[in-house]
Amino acid sequence: MSAAPSGSTVAVAAAGVAAEVLRLLGERGETLAVAESLTGGLVAAEVTAVPGASRVFRGSVTAYATELKREVLGVDGDLLAARGAVDAEVALQMAAGARRLLGADWGIATTGVAGPDPQDGQPVGTVHVAVCAGAGAASGSAEVVPGSADAGSPLRSEGKVATLRLNGNRTEIRMESVRSVLSLLLEQLSGERAGNGRAQDTEQNGGT
């Protein structure tokens, strides 16, 4: 793993990315919804810290418990039973579920292990962040991701997921997860790849 920048550096970067995301969404007349697990509301807090966020931000769901990912966000129960909550496809379905539930054009999601202990057989620092675009969003660079749901499911949407291997303490991992999911959304909105300062990441398309 690469060396970690300071928490203040990550926080400043996240704030800048959030502001740019909201600017682009506002220009496009599109809206955003958030689903969070390990970040526990930090993504929503970062977004709503930007003045004028109410023009594009629909709301968020903090589904910390695994059963809420299924019951509230509509994540496939068999998928959760087979792979656990820390999974790339789970992140995609969380993002899709938030977008559908809150009536937004875009959904983003975080799930992972902030520590101090492993979870679902995954080591600390394993994080999945996802972006899902609805049919109405002008997501030219988004890729179609096959979900675990059937072909008629509202969870079958366009999206992208990144799997991160982060170092640092619990706070640093959570803050870098915030920056990473916002950067992934910015990449989809602008077509420009936002650099990942601390992660060694591999992007995956649907449950691979």
Side-chain angles (χ1 to χ4, degrees):
M1 294 184 180
S2 54
S6 68
S8 60
T9 301
V10 174
V12 169
V17 175
E20 182 65 7
V21 161
L22 292 186
R23 184 187 70 80
L24 291 174
L25 285 171
E27 287 180 354
R28 295 157 65 119
E30 295 173 352
T31 55
L32 174 65
V34 176
E36 302 187 58
S37 186
L38 86 154
T39 48
L42 292 175
V43 177
E46 199 67 62
V47 169
T48 55
V50 179
S54 61
R55 290 194 294 269
V56 300
F57 184 60
R58 292 285 296 166
S60 65
V61 175
T62 300
Y64 214 67
T66 298
E67 63 268 22
L68 293 181
K69 295 175 177 65
R70 180 186 71 250
E71 295 170 3
V72 177
L73 294 173
V75 176
D76 184 81
D78 291 338
L79 173 68
L80 288 166
R83 302 186 192 174
V86 183
D87 179 78
E89 178 65 20
V90 169
L92 279 167
Q93 292 196 16
M94 287 174 63
R99 184 196 63 74
R100 172 185 51 81
L101 182 67
L102 299 176
D105 297 297
W106 293 85
I108 60 176
T110 64
T111 186
V113 188
D117 301 315
Q119 179 183 341
D120 295 335
Q122 300 296 325
V124 173
T126 302
V127 176
H128 306 281
V129 297
V131 173
C132 172
S139 54
S141 61
E143 299 172 348
V144 176
V145 177
S148 294
D150 60 50
S153 169
L155 295 183
R156 185 175 289 275
S157 304
E158 292 185 345
K160 194 166 188 179
V161 60
T163 294
L164 315 173
R165 309 296 180 187
L166 304 176
N167 60 7
N169 60 34
R170 180 177 174 86
T171 298
E172 291 168 338
I173 289 170
R174 279 157 45 93
M175 284 307 303
E176 178 62 16
S177 299
V178 172
R179 193 202 63 78
S180 294
V181 74
L182 291 171
S183 294
L184 188 63
L185 176 56
L186 179 59
E187 177 189 337
Q188 296 302 292
L189 289 169
S190 67
E192 298 174 358
R193 184 170 182 82
N196 192 331
R198 184 162 45 153
Q200 295 178 347
D201 66 62
T202 56
E203 292 182 355
Q204 303 180 29
N205 296 320
T208 56

